[in-house]
Amino acid sequence: VRRATAEDAPFLAELRWSFRSPLGEVTEDRAAFTARCSAWMGTALGPGSRWRAWVAERGPQVVGGIWLQVIEKIPNPVVEPECHAYISNLYVMPEARGHGVGKALLDAALRDCRALHPHAVILWPTERSRSLYTRVGFAAPKDILTRPGWDDA
Ligand SMILES: CC(C)(COP(=O)(O)OP(=O)(O)OC[C@H]1O[C@@H](n2cnc3c(N)ncnc32)[C@H](O)[C@@H]1OP(=O)(O)O)[C@@H](O)C(=O)NCCC(=O)NCCS
């Protein structure tokens, strides 16, 4: 597992397509999506960004990745962490699953999270991935309210 760089963006965009396109009604063709996503990822992995990502490699082949965004909080005059961390887009190619690659990616992101001293680390699990996260300390919070987005957006 290593930190991703902007050079990984084209392949990470392909992984994003593999992850998300089977999950809903696709509104964009693959080439258009991967071009748009690759450009976004190149910027997100470049200087000055709040995003960082890691990739897992098997030999020369990238087989998975994970993303982390640092969410700023407003400066606070008392002892309280001044950021949250948001983990997203954990994905391992189907043929590489079940051997701890996902856990290794999550551990890499959590090592950075720990160094950031965040107030909380947040993510949206799927039903199937819940156990992976609960094993490393994630739990449903009692002190947060979320509101679904608007249908007319
Ligand atoms: C989640 C995922 C990255 C795990 O990768 P992995 O290398 O197989 O993970 P590990 O071997 O380290 O850990 C196995 C854990 O992954 C999770 N998992 C296994 N198959 C999964 C699947 N098809 N979908 C989602 N999570 C899965 C489970 O929590 C499993 O633990 P369990 O043995 O208690 O059930 C991989 O299954 C994946 O890419 N799934 C599709 C994308 C996804 O759902 N990502 C999570 C979004 S929040």
Side-chain angles (χ1 to χ4, degrees):
V1 171
R2 63 165 173 81
R3 265 293 278 275
T5 70
E7 287 179 19
D8 295 303
F11 191 74
L12 286 172
E14 295 290 341
L15 278 189
R16 180 69 177 167
W17 172 268
S18 302
F19 179 7
R20 301 303 293 193
S21 64
L23 300 182
E25 187 190 342
V26 172
T27 56
E28 196 172 6
D29 75 33
R30 181 181 185 137
F33 173 77
T34 53
R36 180 168 72 86
C37 186
S38 175
W40 182 91
M41 287 175 163
T43 302
L45 294 172
S49 168
R50 300 201 162 279
W51 285 99
R52 53 190 85 173
W54 291 259
V55 292
E57 290 174 317
R58 196 167 54 183
Q61 167 79 36
V62 170
V63 295
I66 192 168
W67 288 68
L68 166 67
Q69 188 187 33
V70 182
I71 303 171
E72 272 186 326
K73 289 177 64 184
I74 294 171
N76 200 315
V78 299
V79 179
E80 192 175 301
E82 293 196 351
C83 71
H84 297 291
Y86 163 52
I87 285 180
S88 187
N89 203 31
L90 172 59
Y91 180 79
V92 171
M93 288 162 91
E95 56 273 25
R97 290 181 193 165
H99 302 288
V101 176
K103 170 76 163 53
L105 284 160
L106 183 57
D107 285 345
L110 289 177
R111 272 194 294 277
D112 263 39
C113 285
R114 188 170 185 162
L116 288 161
H117 301 295
H119 192 134
V121 184
I122 60 171
L123 56 80
W124 278 257
T126 60
E127 204 41 51
R128 187 67 187 86
S129 63
R130 231 181 156 83
S131 56
L132 179 60
Y133 299 120
T134 56
R135 276 199 291 273
V136 293
F138 285 86
K142 294 189 173 51
D143 62 347
I144 183 171
L145 294 177
T146 67
R147 189 200 182 287
W150 282 258
D151 288 341
D152 59 356

